[in-house]
Amino acid sequence: MKKLIILLSTIFLACPSFALMDFGSEEIVQAAGTDIDVGSYSVPSFFDWNNDGLDDLIIGDSSGKVRVFLNNGTTVVPAFNNYFFAQADGSDLQVIPSGCLGSFPRIVYWDEDSKKDLLVGSGTGTISIFLGIGEDNNPVFGAGNFVQANSSDISVGYRATSIFEDWNNDGNNDLIVGAFDGKIHLFINDSTNLIPDFQSESFAYMGSSVLTVSSGRSSPIFYDFDCDGKKDLIAGNTDGQLLFYKNTNTVENPVFSNNVALTSLGIPIHLPGSPRSRPSFCDWDNNAFVDVLIGAADGKVYLYRGIPEPSMFIVFLLLFTFFQNKINFVEKVRYLDPK
């Protein structure tokens, strides 16, 4: 029986997001008992900063700096107190802020040296890479350099929201960048993960047209949300939504369908005003379901926990009943005919 439950649970959790096209109620992440507030235009992510086995909260703020809130709770119930600023070249790491974006930080392994690096998009549209130079359990970074394509500094106009993921399934991470114009700017890595090299700019497509996230200020996640083996596009935008664009083509050449708004308790996620939603997926409470953190104009960090659809529990129960009946039948046959 125990083995059966483990087997079915493994099948059920093999692709968590397939079981949850909905999220739970809105929560605001706190530190020391009060809502985290970085002033304005927060950009959160959740990653183990100091290698202690607990994911920590890394937040870009409107000044262009990066705040780190270490997790002093557990993997199931994260807890935070004070923060410190990430350090680069002997001082607070900072990029040039502009308008509604200060810094858009993402921890990456840029040059495969086993040290965390920071990829930071800026409000001015440029992207900087800060390479780790210290111990990986206490990250410190060197002076940042602008990321280039074909020997020129990359600029996507304004509001660079950059991530580093393998877009075309060739084993090399590429630069995927949202921007003020709502497009998804692509810079394919023509070299290796050891020495990333970008030569030209292209764009994500929806059908036969360049994909433009509605209301602009696209903020991308590239993740196989529907568990069909192909990574999809999830994007925040000016209006504070969380939009899902399904990959309807191949893993080598993603092309997307029109968007579907992701929901909280069945209602489309839509932060009030024009908050510039900047999302990041995580597993907040270590339950194998996909959760989402969203930064916004008010400087707070919103959390929506993934919840499985009721229909998936029904499938689970049907599978459990089927296999249990089969086991009972086999046991009965063995009892009647012990040979």
Side-chain angles (χ1 to χ4, degrees), residues 166-293:
D166 186 358
W167 179 263
N168 56 0
N169 201 43
D170 66 353
N172 296 322
N173 287 329
D174 308 299
L175 203 54
I176 305 166
V177 191
F180 180 88
D181 62 12
K183 297 176 181 178
I184 304 298
H185 301 245
L186 304 175
F187 299 87
I188 301 301
N189 182 359
D190 293 322
S191 182
T192 66
N193 286 331
L194 184 63
I195 308 175
D197 182 66
F198 313 101
Q199 290 298 315
S200 60
E201 179 182 23
S202 57
F203 298 94
Y205 271 74
M206 185 172 69
S208 59
S209 302
V210 172
L211 186 154
T212 303
V213 174
S214 61
S215 79
R217 294 181 177 87
S218 50
S219 186
I221 298 172
F222 192 48
Y223 179 83
D224 183 10
F225 192 72
D226 58 2
C227 280
D228 63 355
K230 299 179 291 187
K231 289 185 179 179
D232 309 296
L233 183 67
I234 298 91
N237 64 0
T238 301
D239 286 346
Q241 298 172 292
L242 190 62
L243 304 177
F244 167 62
Y245 295 83
K246 177 180 173 60
N247 181 0
T248 57
N249 201 34
T250 65
V251 293
E252 295 82 10
N253 183 30
V255 177
F256 304 94
S257 63
N258 204 353
N259 70 74
V260 174
L262 296 182
T263 57
S264 165
L265 301 179
I267 300 172
I269 293 172
H270 195 162
L271 301 178
S274 299
R276 284 79 162 159
S277 50
R278 285 162 181 149
S280 176
F281 280 165
C282 64
D283 183 4
W284 183 260
D285 44 14
N286 200 35
N287 66 355
F289 291 116
V290 177
D291 309 310
V292 63
L293 294 169

